[in-house]
Amino acid sequence: MNDHYYSAKPKSQSDRRSFETTLRGVRLKLTSDAGVFSRDGVDYGSRVLIEHMDIPADARVLDIGCGYGPIGLVAARLAPQGHVKLIDINERAVELAEMNARANGIGNVSFARSDLYEAVQDDSFDVILSNPPIRAGKAVVHRVFLEAFERLNPGGELWIVIQNKQGAPSARARLEEIFGEDEVAEVAKDKGFRIYKAKKTKNE
């Protein structure tokens, strides 16, 4: 099996690299590695999501498929009275995310290696963020949506970024099935990327 960024234990030889970047006005020093998503720098889709996501200052947030942590770490800066949980199936990514939090002095975070929501079965959140693993297939991506709904508090929101050519129309349709047509909004579009916000206002 090929070594993908959604592999639990990447087999590619470690080749860490560090870089600095500014996201949503937050200056971060980040370290990435081989075998993780977007190792050469924060990808454009994540940047678009970061620029538009709305994080209440006291929110309990989940970043699912966190990679080396840029989305979740910025969310933690935006929620100084809140807490962000960063999870990923890729153990190398989780290790990097934790290291990047320490390097940037971000303490209102916690981490877990998790196959989808496995490590947060009993938790609930105000906001769930995801740049979903498109290469893992539509079934996996749509599970991210469905199980997000199950773990959101009433009034909570799921924010995702997805490319139009990689299934944005079908993603929106599935979100509307789960959350309700009136509760799904396209917040932004940029260079083929779509940012969708889905709000939980109905019961399971």
Side-chain angles (χ1 to χ4, degrees):
M1 179 178 174
N2 291 335
D3 192 20
H4 296 292
Y5 61 81
Y6 52 85
S7 298
K9 295 178 179 292
K11 296 180 176 62
S12 52
Q13 184 174 350
S14 178
D15 179 23
R16 287 183 176 178
R17 58 186 62 184
S18 296
F19 59 93
E20 293 190 7
T21 188
T22 299
L23 302 166
R24 189 78 174 258
V26 178
R27 189 72 180 165
L28 293 173
K29 181 176 181 180
L30 298 171
T31 298
S32 65
D33 202 345
V36 301
F37 178 65
S38 195
R39 62 89 55 97
D40 293 322
V42 180
D43 65 291
Y44 197 81
S46 291
R47 288 179 176 274
V48 178
L49 176 58
I50 288 166
E51 287 304 314
H52 291 91
M53 62 191 189
D54 185 14
I55 312 293
D58 60 350
R60 181 168 173 79
V61 181
L62 177 68
D63 178 4
I64 179 168
C66 65
Y68 50 84
I71 296 171
L73 297 182
V74 174
R77 286 287 197 222
L78 297 174
Q81 287 83 52
H83 184 88
V84 180
K85 181 95 171 184
L86 294 89
I87 62 175
D88 200 296
I89 192 171
N90 184 325
E91 65 181 15
R92 188 176 292 177
V94 175
E95 180 182 353
L96 288 166
E98 192 165 1
M99 184 173 73
N100 287 330
R102 289 195 305 269
N104 291 281
I106 299 172
N108 58 327
V109 288
S110 56
F111 307 86
R113 197 193 73 76
S114 182
D115 185 355
L116 292 180
Y117 296 91
E118 181 182 62
V120 290
Q121 288 291 332
D122 299 323
D123 295 340
S124 61
F125 302 91
D126 302 309
V127 179
I128 296 178
L129 306 167
S130 187
N131 184 348
I134 300 301
R135 291 185 192 173
K138 182 185 287 189
V140 171
V141 173
H142 287 190
R143 270 190 67 196
V144 170
F145 302 163
L146 178 61
E147 295 185 33
F149 181 86
E150 295 166 357
R151 284 165 185 82
L152 281 169
N153 293 321
E157 295 175 344
L158 168 66
W159 288 75
I160 68 155
V161 58
I162 190 164
Q163 273 189 289
N164 208 49
K165 66 182 182 182
Q166 292 183 325
S170 65
R172 179 167 188 165
R174 184 66 181 123
L175 287 169
E176 290 177 349
E177 288 175 5
I178 297 167
F179 287 83
E181 187 174 343
D182 294 338
E183 305 306 331
V184 178
E186 182 180 280
V187 176
K189 55 183 177 181
D190 190 338
K191 293 185 179 178
F193 288 94
R194 300 290 189 268
I195 304 298
Y196 293 133
K197 176 184 73 172
K199 187 170 185 177
K200 181 176 182 176
T201 59
K202 63 181 182 179
N203 295 323
E204 295 180 42

